[in-house]
């Protein structure tokens, strides 16, 4: 990568935090589909610890809380983060490999 180490570290840390939230929300969605009653307070996955959610701005967290498609929202944030960091030269990935990485996510 042509970017400085702080930008690379910031990208890596943000990506890990997003995947932490993504996994928690995906498990919560699965858990919700197996519950008989409605109500997010009964979904235990929403009480899982995730890696440093406070590093995200309050507007993003509120958008996530109110979203009915949390997994899809976080997935779009991951995609945006990757594309944004390609344009910032943090990632230097040939297009075929980048395309494959999006397919694997």
């Amino acid at each position: 990568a042509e970017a400085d180490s702080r930008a690379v570290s910031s990208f890596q840390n943000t990506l890990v935090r997003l995947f932490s939230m993504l996994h928690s929300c995906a498990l919560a969605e699965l858990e919700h589909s197996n519950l008989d009653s409605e109500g997010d307070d009964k979904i235990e996955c929403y009480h899982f610890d995730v890696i440093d959610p406070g590093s995200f701005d309050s507007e993003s967290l509120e958008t996530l809380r109110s979203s009915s498609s949390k997994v899809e929202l976080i997935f779009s944030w991951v995609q945006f983060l990757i594309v944004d960091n390609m344009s910032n030269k943090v990632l230097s990935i040939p297009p075929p490999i980048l395309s494959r990485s999006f397919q694997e996510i």
Side-chain angles (χ1 to χ4, degrees), residues 42-61:
K42 297 192 183 244
I43 298 177
E44 296 204 21
C45 291
Y46 284 139
H47 304 292
F48 284 176
D49 288 334
V50 295
I51 299 172
D52 195 19
S55 65
F56 296 101
D57 62 278
S58 59
E59 184 179 345
S60 296
L61 293 175

Side-chain angles (χ1 to χ4, degrees), residues 1 3-17 81 85 90-91:
D4 67 61
S5 61
R6 286 176 290 173
V8 172
S9 180
S10 175
F11 165 75
Q12 291 172 337
N13 289 328
T14 303
L15 189 62
V16 166
R17 290 177 181 113
L81 179 70
N85 279 281
V90 170
L91 297 173

Side-chain angles (χ1 to χ4, degrees), residues 26-78:
L27 289 171
E29 194 170 290
L30 288 171
E31 186 178 356
H32 179 73
S33 68
N34 291 319
L35 288 178
D36 293 332
S37 64
E38 293 292 320
D40 288 348
D41 56 328
K42 297 192 183 244
I43 298 177
E44 296 204 21
C45 291
Y46 284 139
H47 304 292
F48 284 176
D49 288 334
V50 295
I51 299 172
D52 195 19
S55 65
F56 296 101
D57 62 278
S58 59
E59 184 179 345
S60 296
L61 293 175
E62 185 54 40
T63 301
L64 181 61
R65 274 187 211 101
S66 63
S67 175
S68 61
S69 304
K70 292 174 176 51
V71 172
E72 292 81 2
L73 177 61
I74 297 171
F75 181 72
S76 70
W77 290 348
V78 168

